[in-house]
Amino acid sequence: MTQLTDWKHVFKLDPDKEISDEALEKICESGTDAIIVGGTDHITLDGVLDLLSSIRRYSVPCYLEVTDAEVLTPGFDGYLIPMVLNSTDKQWILGQQHEAIKEYREVMNWDEIFMEGYCIMNPDCKAFKKTSCELPLDEDVLAYAYMAEHVFHLPVFYLEYSGTYGSAELAKKVKNELQNTHFIYGGGIQTAAQAKEMKEYADTIVVGNSVYTNLKEALKTVKAVKQ
Ligand code: 1GP
């Protein structure tokens, strides 16, 4: 199975959003490297399990991004755990993770768990507000990327513009800051050209919302980064 560090392209699906069987088939058979199940609001265990079982009809790897320990469930190929580095509230950086580790550490398999150092860059997105982020300047973002790699030794740094297309110039600078930590970019990718542009710098690009708004264009992002 493709390792996270080999991912070029992933789709992120939200258990709170409706998706037809036909659309799901196209997404899972698109050639993407993995599907991430994750979202910010109204995430329920039932919703997560429903989506997981639908995705499991296909061979594509399926990862859960754990934004709420209540929906943790076995059966995924891996688990992504965000630490929101630009949050002003400790609970989103270390607090919830600390609680989850107290409860689950006996059953945690670190071969399938990946901590993600998140930097959330869109002040209008739900995750930014929910996790009480402050908008960093470029130099701050680069320092967070540096900390992700050298202070926390995180496997992943995630530049998150959820809902809006971000700065390719900043993505380029972030890439230059990272040697060992895998660089994921997500946010606002709707076209093959945008996918290609961000993939110049990011190791992996994530396409989320556009599968719900314009699936045809969203599907083209796969080929755009895999040629
Ligand atoms: C969201 O980074 C992902 O967590 C993808 O963002 O929904 O804007 O594509 P979009």
Side-chain angles (χ1 to χ4, degrees):
M1 188 189 301
T2 327
Q3 300 299 308
L4 183 149
T5 46
D6 297 326
W7 293 352
K8 293 185 167 71
H9 181 286
V10 300
F11 283 120
K12 192 184 279 192
L13 297 182
D14 187 339
D16 190 39
K17 289 187 181 158
E18 289 289 321
I19 189 135
S20 69
D21 285 351
E22 195 193 349
L24 192 69
E25 178 175 0
K26 286 184 177 148
I27 292 163
C28 293
E29 304 274 64
S30 64
T32 189
D33 294 304
I35 308 286
I36 296 174
V37 171
T40 307
D41 277 343
H42 315 297
I43 307 302
T44 64
L45 185 56
D46 280 352
V48 167
L49 288 171
D50 271 359
L51 191 51
L52 173 65
S53 65
S54 303
I55 295 168
R56 279 292 184 236
R57 294 197 290 246
Y58 308 95
S59 60
V60 65
C62 186
Y63 281 59
L64 179 67
E65 191 164 60
V66 185
T67 47
D68 182 345
E70 296 292 308
V71 303
L72 260 177
T73 175
F76 284 87
D77 296 303
Y79 298 84
L80 304 165
I81 319 256
M83 298 169 71
V84 183
L85 302 178
N86 63 319
S87 172
T88 57
D89 182 346
K90 182 189 159 194
Q91 74 155 311
W92 302 109
I93 310 167
L94 291 175
Q96 300 223 343
Q97 298 78 352
H98 179 235
E99 284 306 313
I101 280 166
K102 275 201 296 189
E103 191 164 341
Y104 296 110
R105 71 163 166 244
E106 301 302 330
V107 293
M108 288 173 88
N109 172 3
W110 285 95
D111 292 337
E112 53 184 40
I113 297 171
F114 303 89
M115 303 302 294
E116 306 171 298
Y118 253 75
C119 196
I120 309 183
M121 301 298 292
N122 175 10
D124 295 325
C125 79
K126 283 187 232 161
F128 188 100
K129 291 175 188 154
K130 183 171 179 177
T131 61
S132 311
C133 283
E134 65 188 355
L135 190 62
L137 301 172
D138 285 11
E139 67 202 58
D140 297 313
V141 176
L142 300 182
Y144 283 132
Y146 184 93
M147 287 174 79
E149 177 156 324
H150 297 280
V151 179
F152 299 118
H153 303 287
L154 297 176
V156 171
F157 181 76
Y158 194 131
L159 188 64
E160 170 69 290
Y161 279 89
S162 181
T164 190
Y165 189 65
S167 161
E169 202 182 314
L170 179 58
K172 182 179 185 179
K173 290 187 204 157
V174 167
K175 180 60 192 165
N176 287 335
E177 206 63 63
L178 299 172
Q179 273 86 48
N180 299 315
T181 293
H182 190 78
F183 176 23
I184 297 184
Y185 170 87
I189 295 179
Q190 300 183 37
T191 65
Q194 288 171 333
K196 217 173 189 150
E197 181 177 52
M198 282 303 177
K199 183 64 186 72
E200 280 286 306
Y201 311 118
D203 299 314
T204 304
I205 57 146
V206 180
V207 178
N209 201 43
S210 69
V211 302
Y212 301 99
T213 55
N214 190 343
L215 180 60
K216 202 169 159 216
E217 287 304 310
L219 290 169
K220 291 182 189 164
T221 61
V222 180
K223 258 200 191 140
V225 304
K226 293 197 136 225
Q227 273 162 355

